[in-house]
Amino acid sequence: MDVATVYAGSMSNGVPEFRLGSVLSTSFTATLTERAGHPVERIPTPARLIDWLGVYGLVIQRCSAIQLAAARALREAIHLIATASARGADLPPSSVSLINAFSAAGRGSAALTREGQKVWKLPESTALEDALGVIAADAIEIVSGQREGRLALCASPTCRAAFFDTSRSRSRRWCDMNTCGNRQKKARLQAARRR
């Protein structure tokens, strides 16, 4: 994906839309948003996790409640290391161990498309662990500096999401301009009008 953010899903069934970005692992952490405010869980059920993975081409057939809990544990480990990295702090050892374990357990492999894009291929009889292994490997790539960009934290006081800034100046302030950025702009305008 080359767009900053794509939205998928529907609020009509009461489930919040996905926030999808161009970096797999930080997009995965965005399945829980508004972390510093009123958290919004965007993968509340195993079926929603299957849907989210499918958007990224990580197609799996089944997911149990126990596997959903494991996926959420990986999500939180990635969020913790991304946040620590963005702050220049030491990475939490337990999170590093968990991410390494998921990466080692996965059997996904990188493949190149005719258009020169990297995609992930999962075994035919893939399990959730293979898809989570791909996400863990992606997190390792960005935290270890293998990709050009920097980890940053959203400037929204209620969001504070970790995101991977690939802008030319590396000065992006918001995880997503369409949500957090616009919300902050509106708040500033309303404050200015009140004055």
Side-chain angles (χ1 to χ4, degrees), residues 6-20 27 30-34 38-45 47-49 51-52 55 72 75 179 183:
V6 175
Y7 293 89
S10 170
M11 282 297 289
S12 63
N13 61 4
V15 178
E17 294 177 332
F18 294 139
R19 288 187 184 172
L20 306 173
S27 293
T31 60
L32 179 65
T33 55
E34 298 302 311
H38 299 287
V40 177
E41 178 61 71
R42 295 176 187 276
I43 53 168
T45 64
R48 276 305 270 177
L49 177 57
D51 292 343
W52 186 91
V55 170
R72 287 179 178 163
R75 174 186 70 190
T179 54
R183 210 173 327 163

Side-chain angles (χ1 to χ4, degrees), residues 47-89:
R48 276 305 270 177
L49 177 57
I50 291 170
D51 292 343
W52 186 91
L53 291 167
V55 170
Y56 282 96
L58 300 171
V59 178
I60 64 167
Q61 302 304 314
R62 288 181 287 290
C63 177
S64 69
I66 291 170
Q67 289 174 313
L68 175 60
R72 287 179 178 163
L74 174 62
R75 174 186 70 190
E76 296 312 302
I78 293 170
H79 177 72
L80 287 172
I81 66 160
T83 299
S85 182
R87 291 181 173 152

Side-chain angles (χ1 to χ4, degrees), residues 99-173:
I99 290 167
N100 288 340
F102 272 100
S103 180
R107 297 174 296 155
S109 61
L112 192 63
T113 67
R114 289 182 186 171
E115 297 77 30
Q117 301 292 319
K118 175 184 170 183
V119 294
W120 287 96
K121 296 290 183 185
L122 300 178
E124 290 273 331
S125 60
T126 194
L128 177 66
E129 291 74 20
D130 298 323
L132 296 179
V134 168
I135 296 168
D138 186 75
I140 291 168
E141 260 186 30
I142 64 168
V143 172
S144 66
Q146 292 182 12
R147 284 200 221 151
E148 202 168 314
R150 76 173 181 95
L151 281 159
L153 298 176
C154 184
S156 167
T158 60
C159 179
R160 304 303 291 157
F163 65 91
F164 196 61
D165 182 6
T166 57
S167 67
R168 184 174 294 194
S169 64
R170 306 288 191 264
S171 61
R172 230 175 86 196
R173 296 189 62 218

